[in-house]
């Protein structure tokens, strides 16, 4: 995580870097702001910058020994505290270190995420993730070691509002008498719920929403979406990367594929050959990659609908509109035809890969679906 990886927020980056250069490094900072504006990646970039051995004017070098360890978030002076959940049947109290490798990988893959997404990543849902009281003992223990390179020890606390009372009180003690060459970076979405005594120990740094200009750039560059739509999504995202990505995923290709899937199934069921032919022409007008993606989507939908019949909701990964469709459609996918349909789909996919005429491939597939759908 470098400053350059952070979406927008140029002013905030500049301010932090200038403060570091002027030697103003507060021992505790509270990064506040709404979800999805980049507080965590900014804190990590900050910690890297102050530990970098040859930083440039606007970012860490990326090649010094400290930077190399930061690349994998395994620098010995970089400590993370974040909400965790107790593993089933665990006898000893849970601490962040139990999840540290999962956490590192998760953050490296995409540093913009919600608490829900992190909880899911830990493999548990519908369970409250919190920062337990023993975590502050862990912090103390870690800080009692000498820093490895003589640099700053950095403790990044993600969502301190999830600390239980005991933990908050212990942390307060540490903040009152901070060890030397140690900095705390607290990242909060609900600073009002923190102990006022903790708030008063921290220098507050408010991170604003990401500007529409920066968000539009991110959307066009990363998702290849044309500028007009990107602007609309950026506007609706209200400066949150998370909201923007969510809109893209639900709105975009997914929705189109869903509509195409539904219309094909309806046409096949009603045996509307002429319309099926038009449908195949629509598909043929797409690029090969998208055609393949669509066939993958169909395979997922067939699988999901087959599973739907078992009424095991936890095994299903459909959106709400897909589920709604499945209420009536799922009974058509059963043990008599699922293998046949899946075979046809993978055959269509390999034909597309071999550049067989797409109109033929999709029309052929739709004709076969007429027969397969009535096998009950
Ligand atoms: Zn460096």
């Amino acid at each position: 995580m470098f400053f350059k990886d952070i979406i927008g927020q140029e002013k905030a980056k500049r301010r932090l870097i200038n403060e570091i250069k002027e030697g103003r490094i507060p021992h505790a900072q509270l990064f506040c702001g709404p979800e999805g504006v980049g507080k965590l990646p900014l804190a990590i970039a900050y910690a890297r910058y102050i530990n970098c051995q040859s930083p440039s004017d606007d970012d860490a070098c990326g090649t010094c020994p400290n930077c190399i360890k930061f690349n994998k978030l395994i620098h010995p002076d970089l400590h993370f505290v974040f909400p965790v959940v107790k593993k089933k049947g665990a006898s000893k109290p849970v601490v962040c270190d139990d999840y540290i490798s999962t956490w590192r990988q998760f953050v490296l893959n995409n540093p913009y995420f919600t608490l829900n997404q992190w909880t899911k990543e830990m493999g548990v849902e519908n369970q409250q993730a919190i920062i337990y009281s023993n975590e502050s003992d862990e912090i103390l223990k870690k800080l009692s070691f000498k820093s490895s390179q003589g640099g700053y020890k950095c403790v990044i606390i993600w969502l301190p509002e999830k600390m239980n009372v005991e933990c908050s009180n212990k942390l307060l003690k540490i903040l009152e008498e901070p060890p030397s060459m140690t900095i705390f970076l607290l990242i909060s979405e609900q600073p009002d719920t923190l102990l006022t005594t903790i708030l008063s120990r921290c220098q507050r740094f408010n991170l604003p929403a990401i500007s529409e200009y920066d968000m539009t750039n991110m959307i066009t560059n990363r998702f290849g979406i044309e500028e007009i739509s990107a602007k609309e999504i950026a506007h609706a995202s209200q400066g949150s990367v998370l909201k923007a990505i969510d809109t893209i995923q639900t709105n975009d290709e997914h929705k189109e594929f869903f509509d195409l899937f539904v219309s094909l199934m309806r046409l096949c069921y009603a045996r509307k050959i002429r319309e099926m032919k038009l449908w195949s022409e629509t598909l043929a007008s797409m690029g090969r990659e998208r055609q393949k993606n669509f066939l993958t989507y169909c395979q997922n939908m067939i699988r999901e609908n087959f599973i739907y019949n078992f009424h095991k909701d936890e095994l299903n990964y459909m959106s709400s509109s897909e589920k709604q469709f499945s209420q009536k459609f799922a009974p058509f996918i059963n043990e008599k035809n699922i293998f046949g349909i899946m075979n046809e789909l993978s055959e269509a996919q390999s034909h597309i890969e071999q550049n067989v005429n797409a109109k033929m491939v999709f029309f052929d597939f739709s004709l076969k679906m007429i027969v397969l759908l009535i096998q009950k």
Side-chain angles (χ1 to χ4, degrees), residues 156-346:
I156 296 180
I157 306 180
W158 185 59
L159 305 184
E161 52 266 39
K162 296 293 168 190
M163 287 190 290
N164 71 10
V165 183
E166 207 182 326
C167 187
S168 300
N169 281 319
K170 284 189 193 169
L171 178 73
L172 182 62
K173 285 256 160 53
I174 309 176
L175 291 178
E176 277 170 343
E177 291 168 40
S180 65
M181 292 297 279
T182 300
I183 60 161
F184 287 86
L185 301 168
L186 282 65
I187 295 150
S188 175
E189 270 149 27
Q190 297 166 306
D192 304 343
T193 61
L194 296 175
L195 292 180
T196 48
T197 38
I198 287 191
L199 288 175
S200 67
R201 302 268 156 204
C202 298
Q203 184 171 311
R204 194 163 167 157
F205 191 89
N206 290 317
L207 207 55
I210 297 168
S211 74
E212 280 188 33
Y213 174 81
D214 291 327
M215 191 72 85
T216 306
N217 276 343
M218 184 280 285
I219 296 168
T220 46
N221 293 338
R222 215 174 275 188
F223 295 92
I225 291 172
E226 57 183 41
E227 204 180 328
I228 296 177
S229 323
K231 269 186 180 159
E232 274 174 22
I233 298 167
H235 179 70
S237 75
Q238 296 174 303
S240 161
V241 174
L242 296 165
K243 272 190 203 156
I245 292 178
D246 197 47
T247 314
I248 292 165
Q249 285 174 344
T250 42
N251 276 7
D252 199 40
E253 202 166 61
H254 207 82
K255 167 125 189 24
E256 192 187 350
F257 284 176
F258 172 62
D259 292 342
L260 284 167
F261 180 82
V262 170
S263 65
L264 176 68
M265 294 306 137
R266 289 197 172 131
L267 294 176
C268 292
Y269 181 71
R271 304 186 171 205
K272 292 189 169 162
I273 306 289
R274 193 195 304 263
E275 283 88 344
M276 279 159 53
K277 203 148 192 209
L278 290 174
W279 181 92
S280 315
E281 281 162 18
T282 310
L283 260 295
S285 68
M286 291 179 175
R288 296 256 152 197
E289 273 315 303
R290 294 200 62 215
Q291 290 167 354
K292 281 196 280 178
N293 288 347
F294 174 68
L295 289 165
T296 305
Y297 175 81
C298 291
Q299 290 175 13
N300 284 336
M301 278 299 276
I302 296 295
R303 194 179 303 119
E304 292 295 331
N305 275 279
F306 181 64
I307 295 171
Y308 189 89
N309 296 314
F310 300 109
H311 305 291
K312 289 233 177 351
D313 222 29
E314 72 275 13
L315 296 176
N316 244 307
Y317 293 97
M318 289 190 284
S319 69
S320 52
S321 43
E322 287 167 343
K323 267 188 191 159
Q324 207 179 351
F325 172 68
S326 296
Q327 288 173 8
K328 284 195 176 145
F329 177 69
F332 286 92
I333 307 300
N334 52 64
E335 58 269 32
K336 291 243 173 70
N337 61 11
I338 177 153
F339 295 112
I341 299 174
M342 291 303 252
N343 282 344
E344 291 303 334
L345 282 166
S346 66

Side-chain angles (χ1 to χ4, degrees), residues 2 48-49 51-55 59-68:
F2 290 88
R48 181 203 277 263
Y49 192 78
N51 274 302
C52 175
Q53 288 160 335
S54 49
D59 224 327
C61 74
T63 49
C64 72
N66 282 345
C67 274
I68 286 170

Side-chain angles (χ1 to χ4, degrees), residues 1 5-6 38-42 44 106-113 158 222 242:
M1 215 78 46
D5 297 325
I6 289 146
K39 300 180 293 300
L40 177 64
L42 191 67
I44 298 173
F106 190 63
V107 174
L108 287 171
N109 283 346
N110 177 18
Y112 294 82
F113 54 84
W158 185 59
R222 215 174 275 188
L242 296 165

